[in-house]
Amino acid sequence: MIAFAAEPATLFGRHLLEVTDLSRDELARLLRLAQYLKVQGRGEQRTLLRDRTLAMLFEKPSLRTRVSFEVAMTQLGGEVLFAQGAEFMVGSRESPEDAARTLSRYVDVIAVRTHAHEPLQRFAHASTVPVINALSARAHPCQAIADVLTMRERFGDVAGLRIAYVGDARNNVAASLAEAAVTLGATVQFGCPPTHRPSESYLAKLDALGESSGGATRAFSNAVRAVRGADVVYTDVWTSMGEERYRERNDAMLRPYAVTEELFAFAKPNAIFMHCLPAHRGEEVVAGVIDGPRSAVFDQAENRMHAQKALLLALLTELKGLPI
Ligand code: CP
């Protein structure tokens, strides 16, 4: 039976810059709404965001984030405008504050993909409409929400899962994934060299986030120790966009953390493989794993759209009549 919202939606009018902007309850509600929207007929959704406009301002390339947001907004009855590269760089032609104040007069919600995180924070602070982080150097919250949605779909619950993240455990995808997973009660096991391990203070912050739900982190230099007994094995490219100067060093240091069939075999027999994409076969993962029967990468990619529909509705409406 569907439970309908008995209290005002708490995300209405807010920004989403990091997963930690959401409480555990808010994150859980978003996941329930995303799952509902995924199975609901598209025809029932086409007026939910009628006359609303999403501006997407991207300094970096994107396939999934751009298209999934555009399709989500369009299927909800809204409109989208997109600017990228030289057309829009946060803080380049004018201050982030002036750009945000101006755009707030034109559109209802703004998704920004940017190199640095601090100008995005300034932009959001000045904006009078919700701002969504569509990837910054620090965080990729939209990816993380889709990731935990995929885990919930596969396993029924995120609480109690053991998630191995192998490779560069200091990147934005790893950070947001870990924040979402421990918030929901999972254990995240990082497998990475000391150079690519989250700082002790960040690991402590993650453990504090998981305190009330039973979520926790562990960090191993040995990839097998991280993956042994895992329900989910997750990796990402070894060198993030904008970090290309470190490619050679990363390739050498992260090679022992590649997800091969041999490494994946240490996970549980029903474990799934996850990757935010784009992927480099033969580098961080072999084709036999990412293209194998236990790969969930395209469910993950699809779930970006459903998760972002839920997010757009929660930021722009009071979710009247929708289950949360
Ligand atoms: N995972 C992800 O954000 O993909 P894009 O860079 O293609 O948007």
Side-chain angles (χ1 to χ4, degrees):
M1 190 162 89
I2 293 168
F4 283 81
E7 55 191 88
T10 54
L11 293 182
F12 179 60
R14 282 169 39 189
H15 305 308
L16 180 80
L17 301 192
E18 303 190 49
V19 169
T20 51
D21 291 336
L22 302 170
S23 69
R24 176 158 53 121
D25 185 51
E26 288 165 349
L27 178 55
R29 284 172 180 223
L30 267 185
L31 298 184
R32 289 198 295 273
L33 179 58
Q35 194 62 52
Y36 173 80
L37 295 167
K38 185 170 180 175
V39 297
Q40 188 191 40
R42 209 188 289 172
E44 295 170 61
Q45 301 174 0
R46 63 176 174 236
T47 57
L48 293 174
L49 290 183
R50 190 171 51 197
D51 299 330
R52 306 299 185 93
T53 303
L54 163 68
M56 301 183 64
L57 310 169
F58 278 34
E59 293 175 2
K60 294 174 158 187
S62 170
L63 173 70
R64 279 146 291 274
T65 308
R66 176 183 177 173
V67 177
S68 57
F69 260 117
E70 290 203 16
V71 174
M73 192 65 182
T74 305
Q75 289 187 2
L76 292 170
E79 297 191 353
V80 184
L81 62 88
F82 181 80
Q84 72 174 346
E87 286 177 78
F88 182 82
M89 298 279 278
V90 183
S92 63
R93 283 186 69 227
E94 57 194 317
S95 71
E97 289 81 5
D98 283 357
R101 286 184 195 116
T102 304
L103 287 164
S104 297
R105 304 289 181 104
Y106 302 147
V107 301
D108 301 285
V109 55
I110 305 169
V112 180
R113 171 167 284 208
T114 179
H115 291 281
H117 192 79
E118 193 264 341
L120 174 63
Q121 289 175 308
R122 287 174 53 191
F123 183 93
H125 191 67
S127 174
T128 57
V129 300
V131 174
I132 300 169
N133 180 357
L135 184 146
S136 68
R138 185 189 299 175
H140 198 357
C142 297
Q143 179 67 54
I145 297 169
D147 292 342
V148 289
L149 176 63
T150 307
M151 294 177 201
R152 183 181 182 273
E153 206 171 55
R154 290 290 184 120
F155 296 103
D157 199 352
V158 179
L161 292 181
R162 203 182 294 186
I163 301 162
Y165 185 99
V166 287
D168 179 6
R170 289 182 319 185
N171 74 18
N172 45 11
V173 168
S176 293
L177 169 69
E179 288 167 9
V182 299
T183 297
L184 295 173
T187 296
V188 179
Q189 303 191 158
F190 296 108
C192 52
T195 45
H196 292 72
R197 179 182 289 202
S199 67
E200 290 305 321
S201 60
Y202 185 64
L203 290 172
K205 181 184 157 187
L206 288 173
D207 288 337
L209 262 182
E211 206 167 328
S212 62
S213 63
T217 59
R218 304 175 78 187
F220 301 98
S221 301
N222 183 306
V224 171
R225 290 189 68 196
V227 168
R228 186 174 278 133
D231 300 283
V232 176
V233 178
Y234 197 123
T235 192
D236 188 8
V237 293
W238 288 336
T239 299
S240 299
M241 282 183 280
E243 302 284 315
E244 286 77 10
R245 62 194 179 284
Y246 301 120
R247 184 181 300 283
E248 212 171 306
R249 183 199 70 157
N250 288 344
D251 287 356
M253 300 198 77
L254 297 174
R255 175 71 50 197
Y257 302 88
V259 183
T260 58
E261 281 104 338
E262 293 74 28
L263 181 61
F264 195 39
F266 285 96
K268 285 184 181 160
N270 66 338
I272 59 170
F273 172 75
M274 296 182 70
H275 191 306
C276 58
L277 303 179
H280 296 158
R281 287 169 178 76
E283 295 184 17
E284 74 275 6
V285 61
V286 298
V289 172
I290 192 169
D291 298 322
R294 291 190 285 150
S295 173
V297 299
F298 297 110
D299 287 344
Q300 250 181 295
E302 179 187 334
N303 282 339
R304 293 291 306 273
M305 181 177 69
H306 305 298
Q308 287 154 201
K309 273 187 184 173
L311 180 63
L312 289 165
L313 284 169
L315 299 181
L316 288 173
T317 77
E318 293 182 359
L319 297 177
K320 287 202 170 76
L322 286 165
I324 56 171

